[in-house]
Amino acid sequence: MRGRGNARSSRALGVSWYPATWHPRLDMGRLHRPRSTTSHRNLPHLFLFFLFVEPFSCLASHSRATELLYSLNEGLPAGVLIGSLAEDLRLLPRSAGRLDPHSQLPERTGAEWNPPLSFSLASRGLSGQYVTLDNRSGELHTSAQEIDREALCLEGGGGTAWGGSVSISSSPSSDSCLLLLDVLVLPQEYFRFVKVKIAIRDINDNAPQFPVSQISVWVPENAPVNTRLAIEHPAVDPDVGINGVQTYRLLDYHGMFTLDVEENENGERTPYLIVMGALDRETQDQYVSIIIAEDGGSPPLLGSATLTIGISDINDNCPLFTDSQINVTVYGNATVGTPIAAVQAVDKDLGTNAQITYSYSQKVPQASKDLFHLDENTGVIKLFNKIGGSVLQSHKLTILANGPGCIPAVITALVSVIKVIFRPPEIVPRYIANEIDGVVYLKELEPVNTPIAFFTIRDPEGKYKVNCYLDGEGPFRLSPYKPYNNEYLLETTKPMDYELQQFYEVAVVAWNSEGFHVKRVIKVQLLDDNDNAPIFLQPLIELTIEENNSPNAFLTKLYATDADSGERGQVSYFLGPDAPSYFSLDSVTGILTVSTQLDREEKEKYRYTVRAVDCGKPPRESVATVALTVLDKNDNSPRFINKDFSFFVPENFPGYGEIGVISVTDADAGRNGWVALSVVNQSDIFVIDTGKGMLRAKVSLDREQQSSYTLWVEAVDGGEPALSSTAKITILLLDINDNPPLVLFPQSNMSYLLVLPSTLPGSPVTEVYAVDKDTGMNAVIAYSIIGRRGPRPESFRIDPKTGNITLEEALLQTDYGLHRLLVKVSDHGYPEPLHSTVMVNLFVNDTVSNESYIESLLRKEPEINIEEKEPQISIEPTHRKVESVSCMPTLVALSVISLGSITLVTGMGIYICLRKGKKHPREDENLEVQIPLKGKIDLHMRERKPMDISNI
C-alpha cells in the first residue's frame, strides 16, 4: 500500500514509525453534530467549544484521543517523510455513520473523503521550525530547519506538558528526546485529537571537547606506584550513549604513567592518572603530554588538550657543603666588621624545604664566637672585635648548615691570626670628582686627563720609604704630583663610554721597605649622557599585506634600540610626515597598523618614513623607511570591454578564419589576473584563442542555413576560487551572391501550356516564378526572354519584374503550333550576377488532340539563338503580385503600340550578335540552374497537361 511504502522510505532515512496506541476507552464514533459540507466553516466553532467545555469534557476528550510515536535521526534534510497520520490512524471512509478503527486503510488520500479530511496543528507554536504537516494527506515531513538533538534537549531538560502544538520533552534518561505535537483531525464527522511524539535519535555529530585547552595535575614526588589521581575538566560530548565519550588515552606516557577511566552511576566517565614508576622532582620536575578523548561513534571523533603533570617537591634532600674545611688568614690590624670568610651549603629542594640556617657547633669556644661573628642566613664570617695581644693565633670554627628535618651538614674554618708589630703605610685620599660613600661618579663625556682625586702616601713612623702604584684595569693613571713629595694624582687617560663599561674598580697600593702593603680601593661609576640616537634594526622595513584586509590590521612591530640608559634610552615611535593618514603607529609599543581596507588595484605600494625618538635632552632620533607591498587577492572578476560584441562576417568565411577579437581585462595581478576564454554554447562551431582572444569559426558559415549566431563567451581567471564573467557575442552573416535564382514554376522544361487562338492581346498567358536564397540586391530578380522559337514567338512578352508572360499581338492562323521561349532569370548580385534559365512551352491551338506529337516536339533540341539583350533588373526584391484584370484593355492598347518597338529592338539585337560573331554561352560560363519543383504549386500550368486560355 502507499502508506507502507512511504514508511519504508522513511526508515531508510533514519525515520521509524509505530502503530497507533489506542486508549482503552477510545470511542471511534463520530461527534454527534449536524453534518456540514465545509469542514473549515466549523473550525472556529470547534475551538470555542474546546475553550468553554474543556473542564467538563475530560471523558469525551480522552475517548477520541490517540497517541502516535515516531522516531528519526537528527540532522535530516528538509522533506523527509516522518509518517502519515491518515495511514497510521487507519482512518476509513464513513460507513453506516461510524468509523471502523480495526479495518485496513484503503488506497486513497484524505482528499478523496467527502467531506475531505483536514489535518492541522492545534496551535502554531514551533511547528514551522521542525516539521511540516500536509493538511490534506496528513503526512509529516521534516522542515527546512534542521533538527539538532543537542540544541533541543540538552538545553531544555525536564519534561514538558502537552500545552502547545509543538513542545520538547527530555525524559530523565539522557538518551530520550521527544518532539511533541497536538494534531486535530477534522471535519467533525471524523474528529480526532492526536498526540504525536517524535523521538529524536542521536547521531555522532559532535566531537568530545575539553572545557580548557591546558590541564594541570600535580603529583608528589614521593607518590607510590599505582597512585590514582583524578584529572579535572574531563571532556564533554553533547552526544549520548555510544556516541558520547568512551575512553581516554595519552599521546606520550613517558614510561611513568598510564590512564584509567571510571564510570559513575550517572554514566559519567572520569579519567584517572596512574603513577607507574618512581618520581624524582630533582631529576625531572614536569611531564607534558596530550590527553585524547574518544567517543564510540563510527567513525570515532576525537578531542584533545595539553596535559601538564607537575612533580611537587617534598623535603627529601638535606643541605650539603662542597668542602669539609676552609683556611682563613686574618692580620692583627684588620678593621672590625671586615668579612674574613663565607661558607655556603646547597639544598636541592625548593621553597621552605630548601631553607638553610648557619650556626656554630657547641664545640666552638666562646672566645672564638665573640671574636668572629657568623651570619645565620648568609654564612658570612666577620671580625666582630679588635684583635688584641692576648688573642690566640689559631681558631677552629665548626659551622653547621641546618635544614628542616635534616641532620646538619658540617664544615670547619681554620682561622690563623697574624699579629702586626709595625704600623703600615697610610693612604689619605682627597677627592676632586663627586664622591659618595666611596664611589666616584664621572660623566662618560668627560675629557681626557680629568682629575679624580689626590692621594697622600706616608709612613706613620717616618722611618721607611713608601712607594705606591695603581692596581686594576681601566683608563686611569696615578702619577706623582710635583713639586710636592708623596702626593699623587689620579686622572683619566682616554674618553670613557658608558655603553661599553659602566663601572671600574681600581686600588692604590702603598708598601714600605719592610714589606707591609696597604690598599685603598677606588670605585668609579660612569654617568650616562644622551650620546646615542635610537637605531632601527633595519633601515628599510619591507612589509607585505593581502588586500581587503580587516580594519586595524597588524602590519609589524617596530623595534629600535638605544644604548643609553634610563629615560635617555626610552624610545618612542612616530610616523613620518609622508605617511598616509590611515596608518597608525603606537608610540609606546611600536605596533604599526592600518585602519582601513587596502585595495591593490587602487594602490599597490606604499613607502613612507617612521621615526624613533628617545627621551633625552635634547632628544635624538633616527629614521627608517617602511616599504609596504599590497598582495593581490582574487577579488575582481574578468571584465569585458563591452557587454555585447557584434561582428559582421561574410558568409562562406573560411574555417578558422579570424572573426574578431574579444577583449577582456582583469584588474588582479599574477595568476589571479590570468584569464582563460571559452565558448559556452555552440562550441562545436566556434572556438576562441585564449591568448589573443581571437574568435574563429571551425567551419565555413552559410547565411542561407543560419543568418546569425548568438554566443556566450565565459572569461575565467586563475584565482582560487576562480571568478568569471560572461559576454554576449552576436555574429551576423553578410550575404554574398552564392545562390542563383531558383525557378519554381514552370517545374521543368518539358511542361507546356495550351493557348487558344482566341486569346486577346494583352492577356496574361502564364508566368515564370523564381526565388533567390540570398538577400538584398543579391535577391533582386529580373526576368527576360533570351531565346525564341516558333511560328511567331515574338508575340509573347515577359514582365521583367513579375515574370508574367502576356500576349502582345493577336494570334493569326499561321501562329498555330508550338512556341518555345527561353527565359533567363537573373539576380542583381555583386560582383557578378548569377542566373538560371527555363524553357516556357506554349502550344497555340484550339485543342490538344495528339499529346504524343506535342511531346515529340518537346523532346527535340530546339535551335534557339541566344539574345544578348540584358534584362532590365528591378531594384526591388521580386514578390508575386496579383494583377488586376481591370487593366486588361490598357495592356492590349499598350501592347499594340509597343509591338513595333519590340520588334525593332529584337532585330537590332540579333544583328549585333551576328556582327560580333558571338557564340552561345557555354554552360560552364553562365550558371544556369534548372531545378525541379520540390513542392506542388497551384498555378495555371501542369506538366504535359494543356489548359485553354481565352477571353471567354
Side-chain angles (χ1 to χ4, degrees):
M1 297 176 66
R2 179 190 60 80
R4 298 181 180 272
N6 290 340
R8 288 194 292 270
S9 64
S10 301
R11 286 192 290 271
L13 290 173
V15 180
S16 301
W17 65 279
Y18 303 91
T21 302
W22 301 94
H23 194 278
R25 294 181 297 171
L26 179 65
D27 181 9
M28 297 304 297
R30 59 181 176 87
L31 290 175
H32 299 285
R33 290 173 175 264
R35 182 174 180 180
S36 174
T37 59
T38 305
S39 62
H40 296 286
R41 186 178 305 169
N42 292 327
L43 188 59
H45 301 84
L46 186 60
F47 287 157
L48 293 175
F49 173 80
F50 280 120
L51 181 63
F52 290 101
V53 305
E54 182 177 4
F56 310 99
S57 58
C58 295
L59 179 60
S61 298
H62 283 83
S63 66
R64 307 182 67 79
T66 306
E67 289 188 4
L68 294 178
L69 176 62
Y70 299 97
S71 67
L72 75 160
N73 290 343
E74 62 174 324
L76 293 178
V80 175
L81 176 64
I82 300 174
S84 174
L85 301 185
E87 178 180 353
D88 298 336
L89 291 175
R90 301 183 181 183
L91 297 177
L92 290 178
R94 185 163 56 88
S95 176
R98 294 183 58 83
L99 294 175
D100 182 5
H102 304 292
S103 61
Q104 297 296 321
L105 178 68
E107 293 291 335
R108 64 178 63 238
T109 64
E112 298 176 4
W113 294 69
N114 187 21
L117 290 178
S118 174
F119 300 85
S120 62
L121 297 173
S123 62
R124 299 309 300 169
L126 302 175
S127 60
Q129 292 188 11
Y130 305 110
V131 297
T132 58
L133 175 62
D134 190 307
N135 63 347
R136 288 301 183 188
S137 65
E139 290 184 348
L140 275 173
H141 293 84
T142 57
S143 68
Q145 177 68 37
E146 183 178 293
I147 298 178
D148 186 355
R149 182 188 181 280
E150 291 73 32
L152 285 176
C153 295
L154 293 187
E155 297 177 1
T160 303
W162 290 87
S165 65
V166 176
S167 59
I168 301 167
S169 175
S170 178
S171 68
S173 174
S174 61
D175 293 348
S176 299
C177 179
L178 298 177
L179 190 65
L180 309 179
L181 301 91
D182 291 344
V183 180
L184 299 177
V185 182
L186 298 174
Q188 302 173 26
E189 291 86 342
Y190 322 118
F191 170 71
R192 292 289 181 275
F193 181 68
V194 184
K195 293 181 178 292
V196 178
K197 296 182 180 180
I198 302 176
I200 309 302
R201 291 195 299 261
D202 183 51
I203 64 173
N204 192 25
D205 58 341
N206 292 280
Q209 185 174 4
F210 287 91
V212 293
S213 60
Q214 300 282 341
I215 301 176
S216 298
V217 177
W218 288 96
V219 183
E221 62 177 324
N222 63 342
V225 176
N226 293 328
T227 298
R228 300 171 65 87
L229 298 169
I231 298 178
E232 298 182 358
H233 311 294
V236 177
D237 193 331
D239 296 325
V240 297
I242 192 66
N243 294 329
V245 178
Q246 298 298 314
T247 184
Y248 293 86
R249 68 175 186 272
L250 290 181
L251 194 62
D252 185 1
Y253 291 93
H254 296 285
M256 303 294 292
F257 306 97
T258 187
L259 279 184
D260 189 18
V261 180
E262 292 187 3
E263 184 175 356
N264 60 15
E265 297 177 354
N266 296 328
E268 298 176 350
R269 288 179 169 86
T270 302
Y272 280 81
L273 182 70
I274 303 177
V275 179
M276 302 299 294
L279 303 175
D280 185 4
R281 187 204 64 80
E282 288 72 33
T283 303
Q284 185 170 351
D285 62 352
Q286 180 177 278
Y287 298 87
V288 180
S289 184
I290 302 297
I291 183 171
I292 299 174
E294 182 176 330
D295 63 21
S298 180
L301 301 179
L302 308 176
S304 63
T306 301
L307 177 64
T308 301
I309 306 171
I311 309 302
S312 58
D313 184 55
I314 65 171
N315 191 25
D316 57 346
N317 291 278
C318 290
L320 294 174
F321 286 108
T322 57
D323 299 316
S324 61
Q325 179 178 311
I326 60 174
N327 298 317
V328 181
T329 301
V330 179
Y331 290 96
N333 62 347
T335 306
V336 175
T338 301
I340 64 171
V343 294
Q344 185 176 12
V346 177
D347 191 326
K348 294 182 180 180
D349 292 327
L350 294 176
T352 58
N353 295 329
Q355 289 182 354
I356 301 175
T357 59
Y358 300 93
S359 63
Y360 285 126
S361 171
Q362 294 179 358
K363 298 178 180 181
V364 177
Q366 187 62 39
S368 298
K369 293 180 181 179
D370 294 339
L371 183 60
F372 303 104
H373 176 265
L374 174 63
D375 190 308
E376 66 175 3
N377 294 320
T378 63
V380 175
I381 304 173
K382 294 182 180 181
L383 183 62
F384 191 67
N385 289 312
K386 188 175 182 179
I387 299 175
S390 62
V391 173
L392 297 176
Q393 294 184 354
S394 178
H395 299 266
K396 183 179 180 180
L397 305 178
T398 303
I399 302 172
L400 306 178
N402 305 291
C406 291
I407 299 175
V410 181
I411 188 172
T412 301
L414 297 178
V415 182
S416 300
V417 179
I418 300 176
K419 294 184 178 181
V420 179
I421 300 176
F422 302 99
R423 296 175 64 185
E426 294 180 351
I427 301 175
V428 180
R430 296 188 303 275
Y431 292 100
I432 302 172
N434 185 26
E435 181 267 340
I436 301 175
D437 296 333
V439 180
V440 177
Y441 294 91
L442 292 178
K443 293 183 178 180
E444 65 172 324
L445 299 181
E446 292 289 353
V448 179
N449 300 326
T450 297
I452 299 174
F454 279 109
F455 291 92
T456 300
I457 309 298
R458 62 188 178 187
D459 181 14
E461 299 182 357
K463 297 179 181 181
Y464 306 99
K465 182 180 178 181
V466 179
N467 295 315
C468 71
Y469 65 91
L470 187 64
D471 184 25
E473 296 181 356
F476 307 103
R477 178 175 58 221
L478 182 65
S479 58
Y481 190 74
K482 297 180 180 181
Y484 302 103
N485 294 325
N486 298 330
E487 296 286 343
Y488 295 87
L489 177 64
L490 180 64
E491 60 185 355
T492 61
T493 59
K494 62 180 181 181
M496 292 178 288
D497 191 349
Y498 175 88
E499 287 70 40
L500 296 178
Q501 187 172 346
Q502 298 88 32
F503 183 79
Y504 298 88
E505 184 173 310
V506 294
V508 177
V509 181
W511 82 97
N512 59 17
S513 56
E514 295 296 325
F516 287 100
H517 291 74
V518 176
K519 180 186 292 185
R520 170 70 72 170
V521 177
I522 298 95
K523 298 178 180 179
V524 179
Q525 174 68 55
L526 293 185
L527 300 177
D528 187 31
D529 281 322
N530 192 30
D531 59 339
N532 293 279
I535 299 176
F536 283 101
L537 296 180
Q538 295 176 335
L540 178 61
I541 304 168
E542 296 181 331
L543 306 174
T544 59
I545 186 174
E546 195 174 61
E547 64 175 329
N548 302 332
N549 55 282
S550 58
N552 300 316
F554 173 83
L555 294 178
T556 189
K557 186 179 188 303
L558 302 180
Y559 185 70
T561 59
D562 193 318
D564 295 324
S565 62
E567 292 184 354
R568 292 170 293 275
Q570 293 180 1
V571 181
S572 299
Y573 303 91
F574 303 95
L575 290 172
D578 54 345
S581 60
Y582 37 83
F583 288 94
S584 300
L585 179 60
D586 191 293
S587 61
V588 177
T589 63
I591 294 178
L592 180 63
T593 58
V594 57
S595 60
T596 186
Q597 279 192 349
L598 299 180
D599 188 355
R600 188 205 66 84
E601 288 73 36
E602 180 179 342
K603 188 173 183 179
E604 182 177 7
K605 294 184 180 294
Y606 296 85
R607 193 180 183 91
Y608 52 89
T609 57
V610 290
R611 298 185 302 127
V613 184
D614 63 23
C615 297
K617 294 181 180 180
R620 291 176 176 267
E621 70 175 47
S622 62
V623 178
T625 301
V626 174
L628 175 63
T629 301
V630 182
L631 302 180
D632 184 55
K633 190 175 183 180
N634 193 27
D635 57 343
N636 290 278
S637 301
R639 184 176 181 181
F640 291 92
I641 60 172
N642 296 318
K643 294 183 179 179
D644 299 325
F645 291 85
S646 297
F647 298 103
F648 294 88
V649 181
E651 64 174 328
N652 301 332
F653 197 65
Y656 291 96
E658 297 180 352
I659 295 176
V661 176
I662 310 299
S663 298
V664 62
T665 60
D666 195 314
D668 294 323
R671 188 176 185 86
N672 295 332
W674 297 351
V675 179
L677 296 173
S678 61
V679 178
V680 177
N681 61 325
Q682 302 197 28
S683 58
D684 56 332
I685 301 177
F686 297 94
V687 66
I688 192 166
D689 186 349
T690 299
K692 298 180 180 179
M694 182 62 68
L695 182 65
R696 305 172 187 271
K698 297 180 181 179
V699 297
S700 179
L701 304 178
D702 188 357
R703 190 205 62 81
E704 285 71 36
Q705 293 184 2
Q706 187 170 344
S707 61
S708 64
Y709 296 86
T710 300
L711 313 178
W712 290 96
V713 173
E714 182 181 34
V716 181
D717 61 23
E720 287 291 340
L723 300 178
S724 63
S725 61
T726 57
K728 180 181 179 182
I729 313 297
T730 302
I731 300 175
L732 302 174
L733 297 183
L734 301 177
D735 185 54
I736 63 174
N737 195 26
D738 59 343
N739 291 281
L742 176 63
V743 178
L744 301 180
F745 188 83
Q747 298 181 17
S748 72
N749 292 334
M750 300 300 292
S751 300
Y752 67 93
L753 180 71
L754 177 64
V755 179
L756 297 177
S758 60
T759 302
L760 297 177
S763 300
V765 177
T766 185
E767 69 173 342
V768 177
Y769 181 66
V771 294
D772 196 317
K773 295 181 179 180
D774 297 322
T775 60
M777 297 305 296
N778 295 331
V780 176
I781 298 177
Y783 302 89
S784 62
I785 299 175
I786 60 173
R788 304 169 187 265
R789 182 175 179 82
R792 195 159 57 96
E794 63 273 8
S795 301
F796 299 95
R797 174 183 176 275
I798 189 168
D799 190 301
K801 292 183 178 180
T802 64
N804 291 334
I805 298 177
T806 57
L807 181 64
E808 290 291 305
E809 300 177 355
L811 295 175
L812 304 177
Q813 190 67 29
T814 58
D815 293 334
Y816 282 66
L818 182 62
H819 296 255
R820 310 197 72 177
L821 306 177
L822 181 60
V823 177
K824 177 180 180 181
V825 183
S826 176
D827 60 23
H828 198 225
Y830 178 84
E832 182 177 358
L834 301 179
H835 69 274
S836 302
T837 59
V838 66
M839 187 70 72
V840 178
N841 302 304
L842 302 175
F843 186 69
V844 178
N845 199 7
D846 292 325
T847 60
V848 178
S849 59
N850 190 350
E851 291 186 8
S852 60
Y853 169 71
I854 299 175
E855 292 176 1
S856 64
L857 294 178
L858 294 175
R859 285 192 292 268
K860 293 181 180 180
E861 185 70 25
E863 297 180 1
I864 300 177
N865 294 328
I866 303 300
E867 300 177 0
E868 289 302 318
K869 179 180 178 181
E870 292 295 330
Q872 184 179 0
I873 300 177
S874 173
I875 62 173
E876 298 179 359
T878 303
H879 301 282
R880 293 199 58 183
K881 298 181 180 179
V882 180
E883 299 291 341
S884 176
V885 295
S886 61
C887 297
M888 187 61 67
T890 305
L891 292 176
V892 173
L894 292 175
S895 299
V896 175
I897 296 173
S898 302
L899 181 60
S901 299
I902 295 174
T903 304
L904 180 61
V905 172
T906 303
M908 291 179 63
I910 295 174
Y911 176 78
I912 293 174
C913 291
L914 293 176
R915 291 283 295 175
K916 293 184 177 182
K918 296 285 185 177
K919 300 180 180 180
H920 297 292
R922 295 177 300 176
E923 291 180 1
D924 57 351
E925 294 177 352
N926 296 285
L927 184 59
E928 299 181 2
V929 180
Q930 296 181 357
I931 304 176
L933 188 65
K934 294 183 180 179
K936 295 182 179 180
I937 299 179
D938 188 12
L939 298 175
H940 297 295
M941 178 179 290
R942 289 178 172 83
E943 186 177 355
R944 307 176 65 176
K945 291 185 179 181
M947 182 179 292
D948 294 343
I949 297 179
S950 65
N951 293 325
I952 303 175

